[in-house]
Amino acid sequence: MKTFFNVEDIGDLNLALQEAAQVKKTPFAWKHLGTDKTIMLVFFNSSLRTRLSSQKAALNLGMNPIVLNIGQDSWKLETRMGVVMDGDKSEHLREAIPVMASYCDILGIRSFAALTDREYDYGETVLREFIQYGGKPVISLESATVHPCQAFADLITINEYKKKSRPKVVMSWAPHPKALPQAVPNSFAQWMNAADVDFVITHPEGYELDPRFAGNARVEYDQMKALEGADFVYAKNWSCPGVKDPSAYGQILSKDMGWTIDDAHMAVTDNAYFLHCLPVRRNMIVSDSVIDSDRSLVIPEAANRVVSAQVVMKRMLEDMLK
Ligand code: CP
């Protein structure tokens, strides 16, 4: 595996889930793979889970993780080509990428969408530059349009807790005070479309996800109707993806608190489990009563971030031996 970006990169999902179960059971069984290997985890944006779970996964595999916070630990980096660098950015990504790559065997990149230029974001410009100029395997640790380590961990969690062979999984938009990227819902949709689940997306008008991620998933604009009989409720906010109206890209179109997942929403489900990638705004995205209930899986879901990252890194290390 040279890149981890889209669901196709992981191959057969059933095999990946079996491998995840093995890694979870015996996390230190592949420690030899990472001996004398280094992974560089480059963060342009804040993180708790991704930073820590990626480091833990690397350590489980015997690798040395190096974490770099761009702009805090490093020079501020210019990411756009052809600009006159007369501002506060002292170094260009064009030099920084090959330098960072020369110090490691695998690169992990967190680089959120700025939500100002849809073409730039949906082109995954920064991630592609790391792939092109780094020459090393690259993992998206949430880039402009995708968060595959999260979606893989979500699938692992659903697989562990499902009671039906084909559970109903509903991803519901929920309100948030800030404009957030679409990476998490994009990846969740992409992975659920590839998995053996009955997948439904619900959101207010205008929040339609890019078709390359929404695929053929059923979209139901009536949230309560969508939630009926659900086995898993996946709540997430996202800003306007700009599919119907490109000029609205990145904007907040609704702050309707009626979409907050609370007891009334959960009551129409089939005693569903609640999922969220975290961090979560309590009583905006989800009520205290739901996230604190015994149906909430947010902690085991976050714990599975180590497992998903470790499967990906393990496969990259195994490929280096071929
Ligand atoms: N879910 C997730 O990626 O969390 P962090 O932003 O804290 O890494």
Side-chain angles (χ1 to χ4, degrees):
M1 188 191 290
K2 292 283 182 282
T3 58
F4 187 57
F5 193 9
N6 287 309
V7 69
E8 293 80 18
D9 296 326
I10 202 80
D12 184 291
L13 281 186
N14 286 325
L15 290 179
L17 287 168
Q18 285 170 25
E19 195 170 333
Q22 283 180 337
V23 162
K24 191 161 180 172
K25 202 170 166 189
T26 56
F28 308 115
W30 295 272
K31 213 161 179 133
H32 57 283
L33 289 176
T35 305
D36 299 334
K37 294 281 191 289
T38 299
I39 184 166
M40 185 161 300
L41 304 166
V42 182
F43 286 84
F44 288 84
N45 312 95
S46 303
S47 167
L48 188 152
R49 278 145 293 276
T50 306
R51 176 188 309 265
L52 298 178
S53 63
S54 301
Q55 288 183 77
K56 176 68 175 136
L59 290 167
N60 287 353
L61 289 164
M63 264 196 292
N64 294 308
I66 299 176
V67 179
L68 186 69
N69 301 301
I70 299 294
Q72 296 167 37
D73 305 338
S74 76
W75 305 108
K76 284 189 182 170
L77 295 184
E78 179 58 64
T79 57
R80 301 205 176 226
M81 293 294 177
V83 294
V84 177
M85 288 175 60
D86 59 355
D88 65 340
K89 294 180 176 161
S90 309
E91 182 160 12
H92 202 284
L93 211 52
R94 186 65 188 82
E95 287 77 53
I97 291 172
V99 170
M100 289 189 277
S102 74
Y103 303 149
C104 68
D105 302 282
I106 300 174
L107 284 157
I109 314 299
R110 166 156 289 198
S111 173
F112 288 173
L115 298 176
T116 53
D117 181 340
R118 190 178 197 281
E119 199 177 335
Y120 184 84
D121 290 343
Y122 272 74
E124 282 286 2
T125 311
V126 173
L127 198 68
R128 290 192 189 284
E129 284 175 356
F130 271 91
I131 293 167
Q132 183 178 355
Y133 301 123
K136 296 282 166 69
V138 172
I139 302 172
S140 166
L141 301 176
E142 186 172 345
S143 47
T145 63
V146 289
H147 195 357
C149 295
Q150 181 65 53
F152 186 16
D154 297 334
L155 178 62
I156 292 167
T157 311
I158 289 169
N159 192 52
E160 287 174 343
Y161 284 85
K162 70 180 182 183
K163 301 282 187 298
K164 300 170 187 166
S165 59
R166 195 165 188 273
K168 180 176 179 182
V169 178
V170 179
M171 178 167 73
S172 177
W173 179 93
H176 195 282
K178 292 169 70 177
L180 299 186
Q182 297 104 42
V184 170
N186 281 345
S187 278
F188 189 72
Q190 191 186 53
W191 284 66
M192 288 303 112
N193 283 330
D196 191 14
V197 301
D198 174 16
F199 182 50
V200 181
I201 306 173
T202 184
H203 54 70
E205 294 268 359
Y207 281 99
E208 293 77 15
L209 295 175
D210 191 290
R212 80 189 83 166
F213 299 108
N216 294 323
R218 180 155 69 90
V219 177
E220 171 56 66
Y221 293 100
D222 181 331
Q223 188 192 28
M224 281 300 192
K225 200 170 163 193
L227 291 169
E228 279 172 15
D231 299 295
F232 293 89
V233 175
Y234 191 90
K236 186 71 186 86
N237 173 270
W238 62 91
S239 62
C240 174
V243 171
K244 286 193 173 168
D245 176 8
S247 70
Y249 175 62
Q251 291 181 12
I252 295 173
L253 305 179
S254 171
K255 288 188 178 177
D256 184 351
M257 297 290 281
W259 284 74
T260 302
I261 301 294
D262 61 14
D263 292 331
H265 292 82
M266 296 301 280
V268 303
T269 70
D270 190 5
N271 196 25
Y273 286 111
F274 175 80
L275 294 161
H276 188 278
C277 62
L278 304 181
V280 71
R281 300 253 182 169
R282 283 172 172 252
N283 304 309
M284 286 290 304
I285 300 285
V286 58
S287 67
D288 286 336
S289 58
V290 171
I291 196 168
D292 290 334
S293 76
D294 62 2
R295 306 309 287 172
S296 173
L297 295 181
V298 296
I299 306 304
E301 181 185 5
N304 277 334
R305 289 293 307 277
V306 176
V307 182
S308 65
Q310 194 171 334
V311 170
V312 172
M313 292 175 197
K314 173 176 169 287
R315 287 193 177 186
M316 287 182 167
L317 290 169
E318 285 168 342
D319 276 0
M320 286 176 204
L321 297 173
K322 286 178 186 167

